[in-house]
Amino acid sequence: MKRPPAIDPTTHALFLDFDGTLVDLVDDPNNVALAADRVERLDEMTRRLSGALAVVSGRRIGDLDRFLAPLAFAAAGVHGLERRRKPGGEIEFLMQPEALDPVRDALAPTLEANQRLRLEDKGTALVLHYRTAPDLAEAAKSVMRHAADGRDDLIVMEGDNIVEVHPAGMDKGKALADFMTTAPFAGRIPVYLGDDTTDEFALKIVTEMEGVAIKVGGKESVAEYRLADVADVHHWLDVCGI
Ligand SMILES: [Mg+2]
């Protein structure tokens, strides 16, 4: 396990996944919280990086704002389908929620029959959670694949105790590459921290850009560097040089 190198606030840009990276994974995704001193630290880092800090998450940007208030930050939400290009900027939506209505309809009977499966509707993505019903994992994956069957414009992805459907053609890697083309990120070296399968798109792009790809946790990864867990991430953020 190779520890990440020191980061220079004048030459690097920092990209952070949220769940499993900044906060521990919990059964109810609404039940996460970040201590006030951690938010203050992120605020300090954002200033030292001249705004080149973005949170890249499967969550909606509105949710991230709620958990990270009063921090002003750039963000890619719903795997890049929502974008805020700089701290305090407007949120852009790269697709309309109605595109998923046929999938919502197809999932409805299964959700009715299996009350322990929970659907999180993110507008531009639908996430089926089975963390509290692991015996229904296969059923959840199967119903999601069937609901999206025949839709080339959609992609079904499996994550940590979830299966998700959202428009194809966007992922955390593409969102990151897009950030790197505009201020305040352009011209900097990307640093990315993430724990899950969906972060691998970004970790791969960062590796190709000769940036600093950091995997959180023990799962297989293309990343060169590792941090053990959420506590280790916060420790590293304190000592990384920003
Ligand atoms: Mg994560």
Side-chain angles (χ1 to χ4, degrees), residues 213-229:
I214 308 170
K215 182 75 166 186
V216 180
K219 285 185 196 162
E220 196 173 301
S221 178
V222 296
E224 183 177 4
Y225 302 99
R226 292 255 181 196
L227 290 168
D229 50 26

Side-chain angles (χ1 to χ4, degrees), residues 173-217:
K174 293 197 177 85
L176 180 139
D178 203 14
F179 275 123
M180 293 305 296
T181 64
T182 52
F185 300 93
R188 289 172 174 261
I189 302 162
V191 180
Y192 188 95
L193 280 77
D195 69 302
D196 207 354
T197 332
T198 58
D199 295 303
E200 289 299 313
F201 295 107
L203 292 168
K204 183 165 179 284
I205 292 250
V206 166
T207 302
E208 285 165 7
M209 296 173 98
E210 299 188 354
V212 182
I214 308 170
K215 182 75 166 186
V216 180

Side-chain angles (χ1 to χ4, degrees), residues 54-92:
V55 179
V56 181
S57 175
R59 289 192 191 249
R60 308 192 74 165
I61 293 177
D63 283 342
L64 297 171
D65 280 340
R66 196 155 43 88
F67 297 124
L68 290 166
L71 182 70
F73 56 102
V78 198
H79 304 282
L81 293 163
E82 296 183 5
R83 263 349 135 68
R84 183 165 59 209
R85 293 174 187 279
K86 57 187 180 200
E90 291 287 309
I91 299 175
E92 302 160 41

Side-chain angles (χ1 to χ4, degrees), residues 34-45 69-70 234 238:
L34 203 59
D37 69 310
R38 293 290 82 202
V39 177
E40 276 168 36
R41 174 68 184 129
L42 291 172
D43 187 45
E44 178 185 47
M45 296 178 92
H234 286 290
D238 282 336

Side-chain angles (χ1 to χ4, degrees), residues 10-155:
T10 64
T11 57
H12 286 93
L14 186 59
F15 296 91
L16 299 160
D17 168 46
F18 186 70
D19 294 275
T21 297
L22 286 177
V23 296
D24 281 311
L25 300 170
V26 293
D27 286 344
D28 179 354
N30 288 313
N31 262 345
V32 299
L34 203 59
D37 69 310
R38 293 290 82 202
V39 177
E40 276 168 36
R41 174 68 184 129
L42 291 172
D43 187 45
E44 178 185 47
M45 296 178 92
T46 305
R47 276 185 278 111
R48 286 174 53 82
L49 287 157
S50 304
L53 179 149
V55 179
V56 181
S57 175
R59 289 192 191 249
R60 308 192 74 165
I61 293 177
D63 283 342
L64 297 171
D65 280 340
R66 196 155 43 88
F67 297 124
L68 290 166
L71 182 70
F73 56 102
V78 198
H79 304 282
L81 293 163
E82 296 183 5
R83 263 349 135 68
R84 183 165 59 209
R85 293 174 187 279
K86 57 187 180 200
E90 291 287 309
I91 299 175
E92 302 160 41
F93 298 89
L94 277 66
M95 76 153 292
Q96 295 308 313
E98 296 76 40
L100 291 174
D101 279 349
V103 181
R104 288 185 181 90
D105 293 343
L107 290 174
T110 301
L111 293 172
E112 186 69 33
N114 293 286
Q115 303 273 331
R116 288 183 300 139
L117 290 175
R118 202 177 58 75
L119 184 72
E120 183 188 359
D121 195 328
K122 296 181 180 178
T124 48
L126 299 172
V127 186
L128 198 50
H129 292 259
Y130 55 84
R131 176 179 293 277
T132 56
D135 53 307
L136 295 177
E138 285 312 314
K141 291 174 195 173
S142 162
V143 70
M144 202 59 129
R145 277 194 294 265
H146 278 105
D149 211 20
R151 290 283 301 268
D152 292 344
D153 58 327
L154 300 179
I155 188 164

